[in-house]
Amino acid sequence: MTYRQISYEVHEQVATITLNRPDRLNAFTDVMRRELLDAFDATDADDEVRAVILTGAGRAFCAGADLSSGAGTFDYDSRDPESRATGLTEDGVPRDGGGTCSLRIAASKKPVIAAVGGAAVGVGATMLLPADIRLAGETARFGFVFARRGLVPEAASTWFLPRLVGISQAMEWAATGRIFDAAEAKSGGLVSRVVPDADLLATAREIAAEIVHNTAPVSVAATRRLMWSMLSADNPFEAHRLDSRAIHGLGAGPDAAEGVSSFLEKRPAEFPGKVSTDFPDFLPPWP
């Protein structure tokens, strides 16, 4: 796919996906949605990609849905046919477009680091939730503004947000729909770090480089799947069951042997496993 509203770059085994409508504060469109789906398919398919950074060009991460269509922006039946191609739920209603995007990010086999500068509002906030690590620049602003637009939170955020920040904090942000700053996002657990704006991408790249240079790709992919899927497990024995299978399978493999040998020999590890061919087939699909 030739991208029009995002950019895609791979450097030193890190893919950077940038929302790229800076003149519109990277407002979300169906074109952007389809391009993001394609980009995350590309990162999963490329064994050279070890981590993904998701960020925005210019003054914002994403200022929410593009509202240029006016009052009918969220009226599905009034959209052009191409913008309606999201499929249907089992209830026979059109799938929420933001949800197709967030669920694709959630399904990534590569760790996702979100680097947020400026506004992250509406879908610009909800698409961040499936990222594994969320960083904010000092001027970042967040808002789950849906109730102020006569809507409910989309992009499966009613599942993600309470699990990340707790039900009380999630309801405060969603019920008020107010904009809040990076400091509040950190204190509430939405982001793990707040850094100077000038250091935002460099910080994301440092974390990505630490993954690239020190970890086994298959181990990270399997850990990501286990961590997220176990958020809704009925009890810890389900985690124990899958952990046991993973330890048994990976422990007998070449990556574990290399991990131990490189430690004992005091040298950098060179893990041979590839996510495309060696990802454990017994881990359940998620989401």
Side-chain angles (χ1 to χ4, degrees), residues 12 94 121 142 160 243:
E12 295 182 348
V121 177
F142 302 84
F160 284 104
D243 292 349

Side-chain angles (χ1 to χ4, degrees), residues 172-184:
E172 179 184 336
W173 286 338
T176 65
R178 62 182 172 80
I179 305 297
F180 53 95
D181 62 17
E184 183 173 340

Side-chain angles (χ1 to χ4, degrees), residues 157-238:
S157 57
T158 52
W159 189 93
F160 284 104
L161 188 60
R163 284 166 172 79
L164 295 175
V165 306
I167 187 65
S168 179
Q169 182 65 87
M171 273 304 301
E172 179 184 336
W173 286 338
T176 65
R178 62 182 172 80
I179 305 297
F180 53 95
D181 62 17
E184 183 173 340
K186 184 176 185 301
S187 67
L190 183 60
V191 301
S192 59
R193 302 190 203 181
V194 177
V195 300
D197 290 345
D199 298 336
L200 180 60
L201 270 179
T203 303
R205 288 168 180 150
E206 286 173 6
I207 296 171
E210 191 167 6
I211 294 169
V212 169
H213 297 308
N214 296 293
T215 66
V218 176
S219 295
V220 173
T223 298
R224 186 183 201 273
R225 176 72 61 84
L226 285 164
M227 286 279 192
W228 280 106
S229 62
M230 289 301 98
L231 283 176
S232 53
D234 290 335
N235 58 71
F237 190 83
E238 180 63 13

